[in-house]
Amino acid sequence: EMLQAASRILDDWHVQPHVVARTNDDSRALAMVASGVGACLLPDSFHHAGVVFVRPWGPVLTRRLGIEWIKGAAGGLFDRLAAKLK
């Protein structure tokens, strides 16, 4: 869904990017932008000196994060936290 939303934004802006690198690591993508390799779509919670963030208009991009743990790990702390989040 994130890739589709990003594609819609680029289409709306009439941008056809020339992909010079791919990564699944947000920090690595930001480092490439900072080094002048190009631009990318990243959450605006990221910050880096010399990198300008521009909020796109159009679809709202969201992320869903998951957490996995071993049941009973950390004295059951994660089990109790998960129970409160349900």
Side-chain angles (χ1 to χ4, degrees):
E1 181 176 318
M2 176 74 85
L3 183 57
Q4 292 170 345
S7 292
R8 283 193 305 272
I9 289 171
L10 295 175
D11 288 345
D12 288 347
W13 285 358
H14 306 288
V15 172
Q16 295 179 348
H18 172 71
V19 178
V20 295
R22 294 181 189 274
T23 181
N24 290 326
D25 184 298
D26 293 331
S27 297
R28 182 170 291 151
L30 185 57
M32 285 190 265
V33 171
S35 70
V37 171
C40 66
L41 295 172
L42 282 171
D44 59 6
S45 59
F46 283 79
H47 300 281
H48 195 284
V51 174
V52 176
F53 284 81
V54 178
R55 182 180 297 266
W57 52 267
V60 175
L61 301 177
T62 59
R63 292 183 132 186
R64 178 175 289 212
L65 300 176
I67 300 173
E68 293 186 32
W69 68 92
I70 298 170
K71 192 171 185 125
L77 174 67
F78 298 117
D79 302 327
R80 292 190 300 277
L81 177 62
K84 289 185 181 213
L85 294 175
K86 287 184 179 181

